[in-house]
Amino acid sequence: MSGPIMGEDAPIKTPRHVAIIMDGNGRWAAARGMPRGFGHRKGVEAVRDAVKSARAFGVEYLTLYAFSSENWRRPQEEVSDLMGLLKLFIRKDLAELHSADVRIRIIGAREGLKNDILGLLEEAEETTRNNGGLVLVIAFNYGARDEIVRGMQKIARRVAKGEIAPEAITEAILSENIDTCDIPDPELIIRTSGESRLSNFLLWQAAYSEFVFIDDLWPDFDRNLFQAALEEYSRRERRFGGVESVDIAVGSNS
Ligand code: FPP
């Protein structure tokens, strides 16, 4: 795995965890007079590229917002298109990701998912469980408020059984009971397509994240744009509410 990459002037401080809101597939397709599904298919190619870049840059965790709990409201045809692409991605790319030592993790609600998709997601996690390279976190049927509510329900069940006192609930306990329990918080969140909002993504984990919003649409996201986002991140000072700049490695889950 590579060390720090060199920007034009200074070495880049590589964040351990980069999370990406992949936005703009529909607009990319519309600009070419094509149906939205065409943009999503190009989006999958950008996903493959982003995984390769993350590995080359030495990023340890890459989280991709693939399908939100709100995306079910899209037209039925588009929902099936997106499901089909995710299934195809796992079927076609799992062996290659596995041989590249990538570990796949899925975050998001699993209840109510169809058996075929659930089976593939579990197979991807199971097959790559012992890999030690890049951790590719796919946010699927994911909504941050839903994640926090599910976490609170788990904790409330323990409170009801008398295993934990309400006053003993801490930030660490909530962190341990949500989908990202053993994943460090992202130091950097990137969103493509010129929109500047979080859209219910990693609300708890993003407390101290740096945000880089870029105008390019997701299908155009390539290694150069990824590198430019890392360079922008390197220029930011992270103080965690204190006065002095803190080394990036300290920030994760603290
Ligand atoms: C946003 O573009 C993108 C999505 C809702 C889905 C992202 C999914 C993929 C790139 C493909 C499957 C993912 C994996 C991990 C294989 P949009 O449709 O909201 O675009 P718009 O805002 O221009 O309409």
Side-chain angles (χ1 to χ4, degrees), residues 20-28 36 65 74 190-197 199 214-220:
I20 308 184
I21 303 175
M22 310 181 286
D23 197 8
N25 294 348
R27 275 163 285 169
W28 188 92
R36 297 175 59 79
Y65 203 2
R74 295 189 175 206
I190 300 170
R191 181 170 187 152
T192 56
S193 92
E195 309 288 353
S196 319
R197 47 176 188 274
S199 300
I214 64 176
D215 288 336
D216 304 77
L217 305 175
W218 175 251
D220 291 325

Side-chain angles (χ1 to χ4, degrees), residues 8-244:
E8 276 174 16
D9 315 302
I12 285 180
K13 289 185 284 182
T14 308
R16 282 186 77 196
H17 182 174
V18 178
I20 308 184
I21 303 175
M22 310 181 286
D23 197 8
N25 294 348
R27 275 163 285 169
W28 188 92
R32 287 155 183 81
M34 298 296 281
R36 297 175 59 79
F38 183 66
H40 293 317
R41 271 185 286 285
K42 287 299 278 187
V44 176
E45 287 175 31
V47 164
R48 293 194 179 103
D49 222 55
V51 171
K52 287 197 185 100
S53 302
R55 294 180 57 229
F57 292 147
V59 168
E60 293 175 46
Y61 298 82
L62 176 69
T63 298
L64 300 176
Y65 203 2
F67 193 87
S68 77
S69 36
E70 289 75 32
N71 284 154
W72 297 107
R73 296 186 199 136
R74 295 189 175 206
Q76 184 51 45
E77 193 189 325
E78 184 172 351
V79 170
S80 339
D81 235 15
L82 284 166
M83 293 298 137
L85 283 174
L86 185 77
K87 287 193 270 187
L88 196 66
F89 175 74
I90 294 178
R91 287 199 186 107
K92 269 181 73 175
D93 292 48
L94 181 58
E96 194 179 327
L97 291 167
H98 185 37
S99 61
D101 208 21
V102 172
R103 180 172 177 195
I104 297 176
R105 289 282 313 269
I106 311 293
I107 57 171
R110 304 203 180 189
E111 297 78 41
L113 291 182
K114 287 202 177 133
N115 282 340
D116 59 344
I117 192 110
L118 189 61
L120 277 171
L121 297 177
E122 286 174 354
E123 182 194 336
E125 284 191 311
E126 202 46 51
T127 307
T128 61
R129 173 173 301 281
N130 297 316
N131 290 348
L134 174 76
V135 181
L136 173 61
V137 184
I138 299 177
F140 179 78
N141 194 24
Y142 178 87
R145 288 183 171 183
D146 171 67
E147 177 191 33
I148 294 167
V149 167
R150 285 185 287 106
M152 287 307 302
Q153 288 171 346
K154 275 198 221 167
I155 296 168
R157 282 194 283 272
R158 291 180 56 201
V159 170
K161 282 194 212 153
E163 289 172 8
I164 180 171
E167 310 71 51
I169 298 172
T170 59
E171 292 181 11
I173 288 180
L174 183 53
S175 291
E176 283 158 20
N177 281 278
I178 55 179
D179 299 345
T180 52
C181 56
D182 48 2
I183 298 171
D185 291 343
E187 290 92 347
L188 170 63
I189 297 181
I190 300 170
R191 181 170 187 152
T192 56
S193 92
E195 309 288 353
S196 319
R197 47 176 188 274
L198 260 181
S199 300
N200 206 12
F201 186 51
L202 302 180
L203 298 182
W204 176 261
Q205 300 85 341
Y208 290 103
S209 302
E210 293 291 334
F211 294 90
V212 171
F213 298 107
I214 64 176
D215 288 336
D216 304 77
L217 305 175
W218 175 251
D220 291 325
F221 190 82
D222 61 9
R223 186 174 296 213
N224 289 337
L225 289 172
F226 202 150
Q227 173 152 344
L230 296 183
E231 284 168 0
E232 170 62 27
Y233 167 78
S234 295
R235 288 190 285 272
R236 308 256 177 101
E237 259 191 293
R238 305 185 74 218
R239 292 191 294 271
F240 295 92
V243 177
E244 286 177 26

